[in-house]
Amino acid sequence: MSKMQNPGAAAVEQKGWLAAHKWLILRRLSQILFIAAFLVGPLTGFWLVKGTLASSMTLDVLPLTDPFIFLQSLVTGHVMETNAIIGAVIVAAAYFLLGGRVFCSWVCPVNIISDTASWLRRKLGWKKTGVRLDRSTALWTMGAVFVTSALTGTIAWEFVNPVTMLHRAIVFGAFASVGLVSGALFLIELVGGDRIWCSRLCPVGAFYGLLGKVSVLKVSASKRKACNDCMDCYAVCPESHVISPALKGEKDNRGPIILSGDCTNCGRCLDVCSEDVFEFSLRTRNKLDDVRPNEGSAEDGTQRAA
Amino acid sequence: MAEKTPNKKNKVSRRDFLGDAAKGVCGAGLFGLALGSVVAEAEGKLPADAIRPPGATAEADFLSACVRCGLCVRDCPYDTLSLADMGSSVVSGTPLFVARTIPCEMCDDIPCVVACPTGALDKSLTNIDDAKMGIAVLVGHETCLNFQGLRCDVCYRVCPLIEEAITLERSANERTGKHAIFIPTVHSDKCTGCGKCEHACVLEKTAIRVLPERIALGELGAHYRWGWVEKGNKGESLIEGQGIIDLPDRGYNPEPSGFPEKSATGGYKGFKP
Ligand code: SF4
Ligand code: SF4
Ligand code: SF4
Ligand code: SF4
Ligand code: SF4
């Protein structure tokens, strides 16, 4: 099996399986939590969280509302009630702090499907097959969603949004729909092209990507001097174009922070890097002297030479 | 070299930019059209037996507000409401109830409306008796037991607004020649559309159904007046003594004096169809 089909092997060897999958495991737990929390009520009668990802109420005190849906409603001319406004502000503030597309990698149920399809493509050596779309496509779909909402006077994306459809179908026990939506998305992601849905089409991801352009928590290639060019992070990253400016930014005098809003803060690059080049950091720590010197450089040199 | 590179880059990127923008606008336009037609298609097809929860704003406003969160569904103590599943003819994910299955029990505190965070269910509805989910219509004249002269009365008895929203209107039973018929009659100004009557109808298929207002109600032309109402308002006829010429009516020409004579065949003399 070629190296690109099995990225992260070196990290497993170096750090052990658990450490090399730490963020992946935490992320899966988080994704499951965001479904399980909504299922506690219907299954046990204790209503921990009511509603869906679109809008919910936790323990009868904490309202949460998806800001993308809120804004679509706003452009139709409808102003929601206080609870929904508070909810949208809380959610937007949370993603402002934790990273816009943290929604994609830590909350959205579609991510599991997208990750699985992408993993299978890698194993099958299909990485380069399928349709290629420009990275800006999702921004255009997002724009079109707002225009359509305004023109039709409806929350337009919710008529077809597979993200909320899937979550709603799980939470309300519509299992045929769960199968249908996830099957369709899996096929699109598997044969359509690499991450064709999540990084090229989904307007929800594009919206949170915009938030990610200003969000605080960011991945930093703070030990980029230790990078041994194994390319494993590029192989696993769902948005691999975001890495180079930070990891290879030394020659252009760029700081170590991955600034692109496309980065989902999934932390896979932290996992698969045998040299622990990456860490979670803050947007503000992007000075050149925030790059940590390479402690093991001498060893590295000899290793690489050998 | 170092000076040329940025120049060259600029040129290419400007052309690229225009090309990309054109592609983007076209693609987004197509996508928007497709989405718009999905929306338009789904919007207009709320079926007649799918009733929105109490307080639901008019369908167009409803679809600008409802986020399909199901909070109304969760807070309904009678499991009346459900969210439309994919592939059903109601906009996927929006709340509805089917009265024949589970009607709305008209809770005093209207928990469904209280739960709605978006204003899709209007909080200005505070008295459930003012709800307008739909209007019950006696559609099955040929099967309704009361309409045949029997005394079923079930729909009338179960109505939470008995004698206001639904009354039994008496008329003569011409079949037997001596009994009365009590016709269940719904009054649209009072009926909330809760569907208790539809749910309770004893027939195999209900003879009384809650329909959306747009289907249930007739409407007069804007110029049309009920003569007797106007007469009542004015205290006298609006047209008498106004010098209005009364043209002879076609077909029926009464004798200049007295009541028309009956002909041997049972008709009136002088009536020419
Ligand atoms: S891009 Fe869309 S579908 Fe993919 S993870 Fe993000 S929100 Fe979910
Ligand atoms: S850069 Fe790292 S954290 Fe960001 S999306 Fe790629 S793998 Fe995930
Ligand atoms: S009024 Fe009560 S029974 Fe009727 S839909 Fe609302 S919560 Fe359910
Ligand atoms: S609570 Fe309001 S927004 Fe949520 S599904 Fe019901 S009507 Fe729609
Ligand atoms: S319950 Fe049905 S059959 Fe009985 S009176 Fe009412 S509409 Fe007629």
Side-chain angles (χ1 to χ4, degrees):
Chain A
M1 193 173 279
S2 87
K3 193 173 157 345
M4 280 317 265
Q5 278 165 301
N6 199 14
V12 173
E13 221 166 274
Q14 195 107 353
K15 314 194 269 189
W17 190 90
L18 204 61
H21 292 85
K22 184 172 87 185
W23 293 104
L24 182 63
I25 294 167
L26 286 175
R27 220 150 49 74
R28 291 287 177 262
L29 288 177
S30 156
Q31 288 158 346
I32 291 168
L33 183 82
F34 273 94
I35 291 170
F38 286 86
L39 284 176
V40 172
L43 294 181
T44 69
F46 169 68
W47 287 97
L48 180 63
V49 190
K50 271 180 200 169
T52 66
L53 283 182
S55 191
S56 65
M57 182 58 97
T58 304
L59 292 172
D60 283 329
V61 288
L62 175 69
L64 296 173
T65 299
D66 185 306
F68 182 52
I69 299 179
F70 177 83
L71 285 178
Q72 285 172 71
S73 177
L74 199 64
V75 302
T76 72
H78 176 81
V79 181
M80 289 185 180
E81 281 171 13
T82 326
N83 261 1
I85 298 175
I86 296 173
V89 170
I90 295 176
V91 173
Y95 289 122
F96 167 72
L97 291 177
L98 296 176
R101 289 194 71 196
V102 154
F103 174 79
C104 294
S105 55
W106 293 78
V107 179
C108 180
V110 175
N111 177 267
I112 303 178
I113 297 166
S114 174
D115 276 357
T116 314
S118 178
W119 173 85
L120 195 57
R121 284 173 64 87
R122 205 155 59 221
K123 294 291 169 201
L124 295 169
W126 288 4
K127 199 74 184 162
K128 300 246 178 295
T129 61
V131 184
R132 300 264 187 110
L133 290 172
D134 192 78
R135 277 203 300 281
S136 63
T137 314
L139 278 174
W140 287 103
T141 52
M142 187 199 76
V145 162
F146 279 123
V147 174
T148 312
S149 289
L151 291 181
T152 60
T154 63
I155 302 176
W157 188 240
E158 285 312 290
F159 282 76
V160 290
N161 185 0
V163 177
T164 46
M165 271 187 189
L166 183 59
H167 189 261
R168 188 167 60 232
I170 297 172
V171 171
F172 281 86
F175 297 113
S177 303
V178 176
L180 206 70
V181 176
S182 36
L185 281 170
F186 182 75
L187 281 181
I188 290 172
E189 290 270 286
L190 184 68
V191 294
D194 200 46
R195 305 269 181 186
I196 187 90
W197 176 262
C198 282
S199 64
R200 294 294 185 269
L201 292 172
C202 177
V204 184
F207 172 80
Y208 284 111
L210 285 185
L211 205 54
K213 284 188 192 294
V214 293
S215 61
V216 180
L217 187 71
K218 287 275 149 189
V219 170
S220 170
S222 55
K223 275 169 64 184
R224 64 190 179 193
K225 290 198 162 69
C227 172
N228 62 10
D229 288 323
C230 71
M231 306 298 275
D232 280 4
C233 55
Y234 290 89
V236 293
C237 177
E239 302 282 351
S240 50
H241 62 275
V242 306
I243 296 179
S244 286
L247 185 62
K248 304 290 167 200
E250 200 167 359
K251 55 184 186 306
D252 302 329
N253 284 333
R254 283 191 227 202
I257 298 286
I258 294 180
L259 288 172
S260 168
D262 293 344
C263 169
T264 66
N265 276 6
C266 70
R268 267 311 266 160
C269 49
L270 278 71
D271 278 346
V272 300
C273 182
S274 59
E275 309 302 316
D276 280 334
V277 165
F278 300 93
E279 64 176 359
F280 279 112
S281 181
L282 302 178
R283 165 178 298 276
T284 46
R285 292 166 60 182
N286 199 22
K287 314 266 159 24
L288 281 178
D289 27 311
D290 287 328
V291 177
R292 280 204 254 135
N294 181 18
E295 303 110 14
S297 56
E299 269 173 55
D300 273 349
T302 41
Q303 251 180 19
R304 220 177 291 173
Chain B
M1 178 67 182
E3 280 160 37
K4 264 184 187 169
T5 326
N7 246 333
K8 209 173 151 195
K9 248 189 195 166
N10 266 343
K11 253 189 206 160
V12 173
S13 68
R14 186 180 306 139
R15 190 184 304 145
D16 275 1
F17 172 75
L18 289 176
D20 285 351
K23 262 189 270 175
V25 170
C26 291
L30 280 178
F31 166 75
L33 273 180
L35 182 60
S37 47
V38 170
V39 169
E41 156 83 25
E43 231 182 343
K45 63 176 188 184
L46 188 67
D49 62 349
I51 305 297
R52 293 283 187 215
T57 48
E59 191 64 9
D61 297 332
F62 188 79
L63 292 175
S64 75
C66 174
V67 300
R68 299 117 157 103
C69 64
L71 285 169
C72 51
V73 174
R74 293 299 195 207
D75 279 5
C76 172
Y78 299 99
D79 286 338
T80 300
L81 304 174
S82 63
L83 293 183
D85 199 3
M86 277 170 65
S88 89
S89 40
V90 182
V91 175
S92 152
T94 55
L96 70 140
F97 69 96
V98 175
R100 187 65 167 162
T101 317
I102 310 180
C104 167
E105 297 288 342
M106 290 178 54
C107 314
D108 280 334
D109 49 348
I110 331 181
C112 49
V113 172
V114 174
C116 178
T118 65
L121 306 183
D122 191 346
K123 294 260 190 326
S124 64
L125 178 73
T126 48
N127 178 358
I128 190 66
D129 292 352
D130 297 336
K132 279 269 163 280
M133 297 170 258
I135 287 155
V137 181
L138 184 71
V139 288
H141 287 185
E142 292 164 316
T143 43
C144 168
L145 303 180
N146 271 35
F147 218 94
Q148 309 313 313
L150 306 168
R151 289 305 298 270
C152 159
D153 294 1
V154 166
C155 53
Y156 165 79
R157 297 263 165 237
V158 298
C159 178
L161 296 172
I162 184 170
E163 272 307 309
E164 293 181 62
I166 190 167
T167 53
L168 296 175
E169 299 296 317
R170 200 169 57 174
S171 59
N173 185 342
E174 291 194 359
R175 181 170 56 79
T176 64
K178 51 188 166 193
H179 299 101
I181 287 181
F182 292 89
I183 297 177
T185 307
V186 176
H187 304 277
S188 62
D189 54 336
K190 286 284 158 52
C191 174
T192 62
C194 72
K196 292 281 286 179
C197 52
E198 173 172 343
H199 183 247
C201 175
V202 299
L203 300 182
E204 189 70 23
K205 283 192 181 142
T206 178
I208 189 163
R209 289 164 204 235
V210 174
L211 299 174
E213 211 175 275
R214 67 174 206 283
I215 299 177
L217 293 186
E219 191 183 325
L220 290 177
H223 63 286
Y224 205 99
R225 298 285 178 274
W226 300 126
W228 58 90
V229 174
E230 300 298 328
K231 193 171 174 179
N233 288 345
K234 200 180 171 216
E236 55 170 323
S237 166
L238 298 185
I239 49 175
E240 224 122 289
Q242 304 260 327
I244 292 171
I245 304 160
D246 193 13
L247 292 173
D249 302 320
R250 182 186 160 270
Y252 171 58
N253 295 310
E255 300 290 310
S257 65
F259 203 72
E261 251 176 87
K262 281 238 180 170
S263 73
T265 50
Y268 290 103
K269 267 189 184 163
F271 179 76
K272 299 179 211 100

